[in-house]
Amino acid sequence: MLLIKYKASFMNGILMTIKLSCITVLLGLIFGTVIAFIKMSSFKIWKIKPLNILATIYIEIIRGTPLLLQLNFFYFFLPMAIPSMNFDKTMSVIIALTINSAGYVAEIIRSGIMAVDKGQSEAARCLGLSKIQTMRKVIIPQAVKNILPALGNELVMMTKETSLAATLFVGEIMTQCNVVGGASMMQIQTLIISGILYFILTFSLSKLVGLYERKLSVSD
């Protein structure tokens, strides 16, 4: 059977896919949070909010251009921009996917925070909490519950979008699919197996996110 004969290749592909998706979503969450707060910044120069404008431009460019283009751009751009750094294909893919994920996560987090009733902030400030304490103890815990489904969906989407990294042959599932398909001359079968593997990964992630979401709902 094809899956048994090339199980090592498919297993390596699964591990690389999980690695890419987890790292990029984690880093995307960190950078996306920073970008979200930058976009919500009230800092002004006269009547202009420069930080808000910069964050908006970043988000619109990321969301308005194809991920495949971004992957190729950073693959060629990074070695030219920082020649002293030895960027391999995997590092370039992680950076590109992180930057892409951050653009979407920023809007998810911003919308989640904005969805929290303003009365919560006013009540917290009346109780003597500072702006930072209000954000950390009141706003963010409620925002997390609002944005958890969207963040889970982002993780699922990123797991599938790692397949585009096959254009750079970094070793995820689609790369292994191409290699095994070429070696065995059984492209249709390898595509079916790869599709099943992606489905298992994304279905499992969706169920885990749903389980955690229900756990938070019960804790309320």
Side-chain angles (χ1 to χ4, degrees), residues 65-76 96-97 100 161 163-168:
T65 55
L67 177 55
L68 184 58
L69 183 150
Q70 296 168 23
L71 285 169
N72 283 277
F73 174 80
F74 284 103
Y75 174 68
F76 291 107
L97 292 177
N100 178 273
E161 288 176 345
S163 62
L164 293 174
T167 58
L168 300 178

Side-chain angles (χ1 to χ4, degrees), residues 9-19 172-173 197 201:
S9 296
F10 285 114
M11 182 57 66
N12 289 335
I14 292 172
L15 294 177
M16 178 57 76
T17 296
I18 294 174
K19 174 183 174 181
E172 36 44 74
I173 292 175
L197 294 177
L201 286 177

Side-chain angles (χ1 to χ4, degrees), residues 153-216:
N153 186 58
E154 174 64 16
L155 177 57
V156 171
M157 289 297 297
M158 189 54 63
T159 300
K160 292 187 290 185
E161 288 176 345
T162 57
S163 62
L164 293 174
T167 58
L168 300 178
F169 295 94
V170 297
E172 36 44 74
I173 292 175
M174 277 307 298
T175 297
Q176 300 298 344
C177 172
N178 293 333
V179 172
V180 173
S184 64
M185 301 298 292
M186 301 173 68
Q187 283 83 359
I188 298 297
Q189 290 87 336
T190 54
L191 286 170
I192 292 173
I193 291 172
S194 298
I196 293 172
L197 294 177
Y198 275 115
F199 176 78
I200 292 172
L201 286 177
T202 56
F203 183 78
S204 300
L205 288 172
S206 297
K207 290 300 180 182
L208 286 174
V209 173
L211 181 64
Y212 186 64
E213 187 180 353
R214 288 193 293 273
K215 185 177 180 180
L216 287 178

Side-chain angles (χ1 to χ4, degrees), residues 16-34:
M16 178 57 76
T17 296
I18 294 174
K19 174 183 174 181
L20 288 176
S21 56
C22 289
I23 291 176
T24 53
V25 170
L26 177 60
L27 294 178
L29 179 61
I30 295 171
F31 290 115
T33 302
V34 173

Side-chain angles (χ1 to χ4, degrees), residues 86-99:
N86 184 23
F87 290 100
D88 59 11
K89 293 179 180 179
T90 303
M91 182 61 67
S92 298
V93 167
I94 289 175
I95 291 174
L97 292 177
T98 297
I99 291 174

